[in-house]
């Protein structure tokens, strides 16, 4: 893959990058609220930019910060 189109990450690789368990990402795929993923047949992958976007969307300044509300 080119630099403009980085390699997709497996669930285990994405979990390691995020510091989470693969099981957590599997649960979030079912319940929602996790990072966007790519499904090709039985294979699930994550684009590095989707992980970055999910981190950004879940960044808070305090525990009372609900996010997304200005």
């Amino acid at each position: 893959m080119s630099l403009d189109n980085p390699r997709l990450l497996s669930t285990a690789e994405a979990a390691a990058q995020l510091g989470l368990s693969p099981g957590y990402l599997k649960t979030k795929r079912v319940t929602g609220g996790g990072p966007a993923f790519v499904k090709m047949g039985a294979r699930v992958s994550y684009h590095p930019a989707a992980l970055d976007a999910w981190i950004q969307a879940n960044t808070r300044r305090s525990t009372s910060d609900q996010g997304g509300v200005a």
Side-chain angles (χ1 to χ4, degrees):
M1 298 191 120
S2 72
L3 293 176
D4 292 334
N5 189 14
R7 183 176 79 84
L8 294 174
L9 303 174
S10 68
T11 299
E13 292 169 326
Q17 184 171 327
L18 294 168
L20 301 170
S21 73
Y24 180 82
L25 290 179
K26 289 177 185 177
T27 298
K28 286 298 183 183
R29 286 197 303 265
V30 174
T31 63
F37 59 93
V38 178
K39 182 110 167 79
M40 294 178 282
R43 182 176 179 195
V44 174
S45 302
Y46 294 86
H47 194 283
L51 300 182
D52 292 340
W54 187 67
I55 290 168
Q56 185 65 32
N58 285 283
T59 299
R60 305 290 188 265
R61 296 197 178 272
S62 72
T63 56
S64 62
D65 183 353
Q66 297 296 309
V69 180

